Amino acid sequence: MRQAVQRRHPGFADRKTGRLRYIEDKELNAVIACACRPLRDAIELAFYTGQRPSDVLKIMRSDVRDGALWVRQNKTKTPLRIELTGELLELVIRMTTEMPTLKPGMVRSGHLVQTENGQALTYGSLRTRFSKACLAAGVKDFQFRDIRAKSATDTEEISGFGHAQRLLGHKSRSMTEHYVKDRIGYRVSPTPKQLKTPSKKK
């Protein structure tokens, strides 16, 4: 009897597999350039918030309040209030003011990430759209979950480890280190110690 073959989308491989892949800026931008509007919204929201795919898709417009994006993570139930500043603020404004036109008789979803018909973007649709965008961009071995790791790594390099850990909602340092250190390594300065080298003979 032939064994069943498990089909996997290129962007959503087995979650149990350890990842050491770091997505470069040019790779992420290439995929965004090939993405449809709903997918682009999901990718950018995932990057600026550092959240998992399921948490990104469940965010409601009502979660935007008091100058922050309120999130409660599915996996750990960790509550977060992500400040609406900079690029994230511009993204949320675009997503809440430039919404797709509804067809007659349709009711708009309350979710922040919406399809072209104003409905919630499902996980299955995200998988399909992301895989197509990666293929069109020619970017290989890119999983959607890598966006969370890229967000953590880039945040740590710019504003420190503590910021990255809080953004991801991790309770322990070791959990965040898996996203940062194991993927690309820390950006470090050389040792400040000076060697007292012998003077050259004339």
Side-chain angles (χ1 to χ4, degrees):
M1 181 181 296
R2 296 179 60 185
Q3 293 183 343
V5 177
Q6 182 180 6
R7 295 184 179 275
R8 296 177 178 174
H9 289 261
F12 290 80
D14 187 354
R15 294 182 180 180
K16 296 181 180 179
T17 304
R19 294 285 291 172
L20 296 177
R21 176 85 155 88
Y22 173 75
I23 303 302
E24 301 288 345
D25 288 354
K26 63 181 180 181
E27 294 178 305
L28 182 60
N29 288 331
V31 173
I32 290 176
C34 295
C36 57
R37 167 64 188 274
L39 177 60
R40 178 181 176 180
D41 288 345
I43 290 175
E44 292 187 14
L45 192 59
F47 176 72
Y48 289 123
T49 65
Q51 300 307 298
R52 300 177 182 87
S54 60
D55 292 324
V56 168
L57 294 181
K58 77 170 187 176
I59 295 175
M60 309 295 288
R61 294 200 305 276
S62 59
D63 293 327
V64 180
R65 61 184 188 274
D66 300 330
L69 188 61
W70 294 58
V71 177
R72 182 173 292 275
Q73 297 179 335
N74 280 339
K75 184 176 181 179
T76 62
K77 307 306 178 185
T78 301
L80 292 173
R81 289 173 297 157
I82 304 174
E83 293 183 358
L84 291 174
T85 60
E87 297 295 330
L88 177 59
L89 175 59
E90 292 186 12
L91 172 63
V92 171
I93 290 176
R94 186 188 79 204
M95 294 175 69
T96 53
T97 59
E98 300 178 10
M99 294 183 288
T101 303
L102 294 180
K103 294 181 179 180
M106 296 191 69
V107 178
R108 186 180 303 281
S109 168
H111 288 80
L112 188 57
V113 181
Q114 299 182 4
T115 66
E116 295 84 353
N117 296 322
Q119 305 306 299
L121 181 65
T122 65
Y123 191 75
S125 181
L126 177 67
R127 289 166 60 109
T128 301
R129 293 168 189 251
F130 186 73
S131 297
K132 289 181 178 179
C134 287
L135 183 62
V139 178
K140 299 180 180 179
D141 190 29
F142 184 2
Q143 300 179 17
F144 196 94
R145 60 174 174 162
D146 293 333
I147 300 173
R148 176 171 162 86
K150 176 175 176 56
S151 176
T153 303
D154 293 355
T155 299
E156 188 278 332
E157 188 163 288
I158 295 172
S159 54
F161 192 91
H163 184 181
Q165 182 175 341
R166 290 191 297 272
L167 183 62
L168 268 62
H170 288 161
K171 295 182 179 180
S172 68
R173 180 183 179 91
S174 61
M175 294 175 67
T176 310
E177 285 181 340
H178 169 69
Y179 283 83
V180 179
K181 177 175 65 65
D182 293 347
R183 300 251 178 170
I184 195 173
Y186 294 124
R187 186 183 184 92
V188 297
S189 300
T191 177
K193 182 177 177 60
Q194 295 181 354
L195 294 177
K196 295 182 178 180
T197 56
S199 58
K200 295 182 180 180
K201 295 182 179 180
K202 296 182 179 180

